[in-house]
Amino acid sequence: MKLVLIDGLPGVGKSTLAERLCVFAGSIGCEARWYREEDQEHPVHPAGLTTSRRQPGYCARCLQGWQRFAERYRSTNGLCILEGSLFQSTVRFMMEQEQGGIRGYIAEFESIVQSLSPVAIYLRSVDATDHSRGTALHRGEAWTTRVSAYLETTPYSRQRSLNGAEGMHRLWADYAELCDSLLDQMSIPKLTMLVVPPDMEQSFGRSVEFLTSTGHIQAATKAS
Protein backbone atom coordinates (compact mmCIF):
# COMPACT_ATOMS: atom_id res chain seq x y z
CA MET A 1 0.00 0.00 0.00
CA LYS A 2 1.17 3.48 -0.87
CA LEU A 3 -0.06 6.18 1.51
CA VAL A 4 -1.08 9.64 0.27
CA LEU A 5 -1.80 12.26 2.95
CA ILE A 6 -3.70 15.41 1.95
CA ASP A 7 -4.00 18.24 4.43
CA GLY A 8 -4.62 21.95 4.89
CA LEU A 9 -7.01 24.38 6.54
CA PRO A 10 -10.78 23.89 6.35
CA GLY A 11 -12.08 24.98 2.97
CA VAL A 12 -8.87 24.64 0.95
CA GLY A 13 -10.23 21.77 -1.12
CA LYS A 14 -8.88 18.65 0.60
CA SER A 15 -11.96 16.55 -0.09
CA THR A 16 -12.26 17.71 -3.70
CA LEU A 17 -8.62 16.90 -4.43
CA ALA A 18 -8.70 13.56 -2.60
CA GLU A 19 -11.79 12.43 -4.50
CA ARG A 20 -10.38 13.48 -7.86
CA LEU A 21 -7.10 11.67 -7.22
CA CYS A 22 -8.97 8.54 -6.16
CA VAL A 23 -11.12 8.61 -9.32
CA PHE A 24 -8.05 9.27 -11.46
CA ALA A 25 -6.15 6.37 -9.93
CA GLY A 26 -9.08 4.07 -10.65
CA SER A 27 -9.27 5.29 -14.26
CA ILE A 28 -5.72 4.09 -14.92
CA GLY A 29 -6.28 0.71 -13.33
CA CYS A 30 -4.93 1.47 -9.87
CA GLU A 31 -6.83 0.21 -6.85
CA ALA A 32 -7.43 3.20 -4.59
CA ARG A 33 -9.17 3.88 -1.30
CA TRP A 34 -10.17 7.34 -0.06
CA TYR A 35 -11.27 8.21 3.46
CA ARG A 36 -12.76 11.52 4.57
CA GLU A 37 -11.42 12.82 7.87
CA GLU A 38 -14.89 12.56 9.45
CA ASP A 39 -15.67 8.99 8.29
CA GLN A 40 -17.23 7.06 11.17
CA GLU A 41 -15.16 3.98 10.31
CA HIS A 42 -11.94 5.81 9.54
CA PRO A 43 -9.00 3.35 9.56
CA VAL A 44 -6.84 5.58 11.79
CA HIS A 45 -9.10 7.84 13.84
CA PRO A 46 -12.67 6.53 13.86
CA ALA A 47 -15.44 8.41 15.65
CA GLY A 48 -14.70 6.73 18.98
CA LEU A 49 -11.12 8.01 18.98
CA THR A 50 -11.99 11.53 17.86
CA THR A 51 -14.50 11.98 20.66
CA SER A 52 -11.73 11.29 23.20
CA ARG A 53 -9.54 14.17 22.03
CA ARG A 54 -10.07 16.14 25.25
CA GLN A 55 -8.81 13.27 27.38
CA PRO A 56 -5.19 12.71 28.41
CA GLY A 57 -3.26 10.33 26.19
CA TYR A 58 -4.89 11.35 22.92
CA CYS A 59 -1.46 11.54 21.24
CA ALA A 60 -0.64 7.96 22.27
CA ARG A 61 -4.03 6.71 21.05
CA CYS A 62 -3.47 8.37 17.68
CA LEU A 63 -0.11 6.64 17.35
CA GLN A 64 -1.75 3.32 18.22
CA GLY A 65 -4.27 4.00 15.46
CA TRP A 66 -1.47 4.59 12.98
CA GLN A 67 0.26 1.41 14.14
CA ARG A 68 -2.88 -0.65 13.53
CA PHE A 69 -3.33 1.03 10.17
CA ALA A 70 0.25 0.27 9.08
CA GLU A 71 -0.02 -3.36 10.15
CA ARG A 72 -3.30 -3.77 8.29
CA TYR A 73 -2.30 -2.14 5.01
CA ARG A 74 1.44 -2.68 4.57
CA SER A 75 0.92 -5.96 2.66
CA THR A 76 -1.97 -4.73 0.48
CA ASN A 77 -1.85 -3.15 -2.98
CA GLY A 78 -2.85 0.20 -4.40
CA LEU A 79 -3.19 3.66 -2.93
CA CYS A 80 -4.79 4.78 0.32
CA ILE A 81 -5.68 8.48 0.27
CA LEU A 82 -6.34 10.06 3.66
CA GLU A 83 -7.49 13.67 3.92
CA GLY A 84 -6.98 15.60 7.12
CA SER A 85 -5.35 12.69 8.92
CA LEU A 86 -1.84 14.11 9.04
CA PHE A 87 -2.67 17.35 10.90
CA GLN A 88 -6.36 18.19 10.96
CA SER A 89 -7.63 15.22 12.97
CA THR A 90 -4.53 14.76 15.10
CA VAL A 91 -2.16 17.71 15.50
CA ARG A 92 -4.99 20.26 15.47
CA PHE A 93 -6.70 18.62 18.43
CA MET A 94 -3.41 18.36 20.32
CA MET A 95 -2.81 22.06 19.75
CA GLU A 96 -6.35 23.00 20.83
CA GLN A 97 -5.99 21.02 24.04
CA GLU A 98 -2.46 22.29 24.73
CA GLN A 99 -1.16 18.74 24.66
CA GLY A 100 2.61 18.83 24.39
CA GLY A 101 4.89 16.59 22.40
CA ILE A 102 3.56 17.43 18.94
CA ARG A 103 6.98 17.35 17.28
CA GLY A 104 7.77 14.03 18.92
CA TYR A 105 4.41 12.73 17.77
CA ILE A 106 5.20 13.64 14.15
CA ALA A 107 8.60 11.96 14.33
CA GLU A 108 7.08 8.76 15.72
CA PHE A 109 4.26 8.88 13.18
CA GLU A 110 6.80 9.00 10.33
CA SER A 111 8.61 6.00 11.77
CA ILE A 112 5.38 3.99 12.02
CA VAL A 113 4.16 4.63 8.47
CA GLN A 114 7.56 4.37 6.79
CA SER A 115 6.69 0.94 5.38
CA LEU A 116 3.76 2.50 3.48
CA SER A 117 5.97 4.86 1.46
CA PRO A 118 4.02 7.92 2.65
CA VAL A 119 3.87 11.21 0.78
CA ALA A 120 2.14 14.44 1.81
CA ILE A 121 0.25 16.98 -0.26
CA TYR A 122 -0.35 20.20 1.67
CA LEU A 123 -2.77 22.83 0.39
CA ARG A 124 -1.64 26.15 1.80
CA SER A 125 -3.66 29.34 1.75
CA VAL A 126 -1.90 32.56 0.77
CA ASP A 127 -3.04 34.20 4.03
CA ALA A 128 -4.54 31.95 6.71
CA THR A 129 -6.58 34.69 8.37
CA ASP A 130 -8.09 35.91 5.11
CA HIS A 131 -8.77 32.33 4.10
CA SER A 132 -10.55 31.63 7.40
CA ARG A 133 -12.74 34.69 6.92
CA GLY A 134 -13.57 33.62 3.38
CA THR A 135 -14.41 30.08 4.52
CA ALA A 136 -16.72 31.48 7.19
CA LEU A 137 -18.56 33.55 4.59
CA HIS A 138 -18.81 30.60 2.23
CA ARG A 139 -20.01 28.08 4.82
CA GLY A 140 -22.40 30.47 6.47
CA GLU A 141 -23.35 31.81 9.86
CA ALA A 142 -24.50 28.47 11.31
CA TRP A 143 -21.14 26.79 10.58
CA THR A 144 -19.16 29.80 11.83
CA THR A 145 -21.15 30.02 15.05
CA ARG A 146 -20.87 26.28 15.73
CA VAL A 147 -17.12 26.05 15.10
CA SER A 148 -16.18 29.27 16.86
CA ALA A 149 -18.32 28.30 19.89
CA TYR A 150 -16.48 24.97 20.12
CA LEU A 151 -13.07 26.57 19.73
CA GLU A 152 -13.82 29.06 22.52
CA THR A 153 -14.02 26.15 24.95
CA THR A 154 -10.55 24.82 24.15
CA PRO A 155 -7.60 25.49 26.47
CA TYR A 156 -5.71 27.13 23.59
CA SER A 157 -8.43 29.73 23.03
CA ARG A 158 -9.17 30.29 26.72
CA GLN A 159 -5.53 31.00 27.55
CA ARG A 160 -5.35 33.56 24.71
CA SER A 161 -8.85 35.03 25.07
CA LEU A 162 -9.79 34.01 21.54
CA ASN A 163 -13.53 34.53 21.20
CA GLY A 164 -16.09 34.50 18.41
CA ALA A 165 -15.33 34.43 14.73
CA GLU A 166 -12.22 36.60 15.04
CA GLY A 167 -10.86 34.25 17.68
CA MET A 168 -11.46 31.35 15.31
CA HIS A 169 -9.57 33.17 12.53
CA ARG A 170 -6.63 33.77 14.86
CA LEU A 171 -6.55 30.13 15.97
CA TRP A 172 -6.56 28.89 12.36
CA ALA A 173 -3.70 31.24 11.54
CA ASP A 174 -1.68 29.92 14.48
CA TYR A 175 -2.50 26.36 13.44
CA ALA A 176 -1.37 27.04 9.87
CA GLU A 177 1.93 28.38 11.19
CA LEU A 178 2.39 25.23 13.26
CA CYS A 179 1.66 23.02 10.24
CA ASP A 180 4.23 24.92 8.18
CA SER A 181 6.90 24.30 10.79
CA LEU A 182 5.99 20.62 11.10
CA LEU A 183 6.22 20.17 7.35
CA ASP A 184 9.74 21.59 7.47
CA GLN A 185 10.58 18.97 10.11
CA MET A 186 9.20 16.02 8.17
CA SER A 187 11.43 13.88 5.97
CA ILE A 188 8.77 12.21 3.79
CA PRO A 189 8.33 13.47 0.21
CA LYS A 190 5.91 16.38 0.23
CA LEU A 191 4.28 18.84 -2.10
CA THR A 192 3.12 22.21 -0.77
CA MET A 193 0.84 24.25 -3.01
CA LEU A 194 -0.58 27.71 -2.55
CA VAL A 195 -4.31 27.47 -3.15
CA VAL A 196 -5.93 30.29 -5.08
CA PRO A 197 -9.65 29.41 -5.40
CA PRO A 198 -11.26 28.39 -7.60
CA ASP A 199 -8.23 27.05 -9.52
CA MET A 200 -8.37 23.43 -8.37
CA GLU A 201 -7.30 22.22 -11.81
CA GLN A 202 -3.76 23.36 -11.16
CA SER A 203 -3.72 21.65 -7.76
CA PHE A 204 -4.96 18.42 -9.30
CA GLY A 205 -2.46 18.55 -12.17
CA ARG A 206 0.48 19.26 -9.91
CA SER A 207 -0.61 16.50 -7.52
CA VAL A 208 -0.71 13.94 -10.36
CA GLU A 209 2.76 15.06 -11.47
CA PHE A 210 4.02 14.76 -7.91
CA LEU A 211 2.62 11.24 -7.40
CA THR A 212 4.06 10.24 -10.75
CA SER A 213 7.50 11.60 -9.82
CA THR A 214 7.48 9.71 -6.51
CA GLY A 215 6.50 6.49 -8.28
CA HIS A 216 3.27 6.10 -6.33
CA ILE A 217 0.91 5.92 -9.27
CA GLN A 218 3.08 3.61 -11.35
CA ALA A 219 4.08 1.45 -8.41
CA ALA A 220 0.50 1.07 -7.29
CA THR A 221 -0.69 0.34 -10.84
CA LYS A 222 1.87 -2.41 -11.35
CA ALA A 223 0.98 -3.97 -8.00
CA SER A 224 -2.78 -4.00 -8.67
Side-chain angles (χ1 to χ4, degrees):
M1 173 66 69
K2 306 292 182 181
L3 176 61
V4 179
L5 299 156
I6 300 177
D7 226 304
L9 290 177
V12 293
K14 297 187 296 293
S15 297
T16 300
L17 179 60
E19 182 177 19
R20 288 197 63 181
L21 289 175
C22 189
V23 171
F24 173 76
S27 73
I28 62 172
C30 171
E31 180 184 352
R33 301 175 177 88
W34 161 46
Y35 294 93
R36 297 176 184 269
E37 60 184 278
E38 67 272 15
D39 280 349
Q40 293 291 308
E41 302 298 328
H42 196 281
V44 177
H45 42 79
L49 173 59
T50 302
T51 56
S52 71
R53 59 184 178 270
R54 292 177 182 262
Q55 300 173 8
Y58 181 70
C59 173
R61 288 191 294 277
C62 286
L63 291 173
Q64 290 168 3
W66 282 115
Q67 187 68 55
R68 290 190 296 269
F69 173 79
E71 292 171 356
R72 176 182 176 185
Y73 284 104
R74 67 166 49 100
S75 60
T76 61
N77 297 327
L79 292 179
C80 186
I81 303 172
L82 301 182
E83 56 157 295
S85 296
L86 177 58
F87 297 142
Q88 183 79 355
S89 297
T90 51
V91 166
R92 189 196 107 199
F93 292 142
M94 294 175 204
M95 172 185 151
E96 289 175 1
Q97 300 302 318
E98 295 278 19
Q99 296 179 7
I102 290 177
R103 294 189 180 280
Y105 163 81
I106 287 295
E108 192 164 351
F109 152 78
E110 284 199 272
S111 176
I112 290 172
V113 301
Q114 185 177 11
S115 62
L116 302 177
S117 301
V119 296
I121 298 174
Y122 187 70
L123 303 177
R124 193 182 190 285
S125 56
V126 176
D127 182 281
T129 301
D130 287 347
H131 173 80
S132 181
R133 291 188 176 120
T135 300
L137 287 173
H138 176 72
R139 295 192 173 181
E141 183 177 354
W143 180 87
T144 302
T145 300
R146 175 174 58 84
V147 174
S148 61
Y150 157 72
L151 292 175
E152 283 181 2
T153 68
T154 65
Y156 190 91
S157 292
R158 289 201 304 268
Q159 291 182 19
R160 294 161 181 80
S161 299
L162 303 181
N163 301 307
E166 286 304 309
M168 177 181 72
H169 304 326
R170 165 67 188 281
L171 185 146
W172 288 129
D174 291 351
Y175 168 65
E177 185 176 343
L178 172 61
C179 291
D180 286 343
S181 68
L182 292 175
L183 282 168
D184 289 340
Q185 167 190 332
M186 295 176 67
S187 61
I188 67 174
K190 47 190 175 285
L191 170 66
T192 300
M193 293 182 286
L194 287 178
V195 177
V196 183
D199 188 13
M200 287 301 296
E201 288 300 322
Q202 183 180 24
S203 298
F204 172 70
R206 288 187 62 192
S207 296
V208 170
E209 291 176 359
F210 172 65
L211 294 177
T212 299
S213 71
T214 59
H216 277 61
I217 289 178
Q218 298 96 320
T221 302
K222 292 176 183 178
S224 299

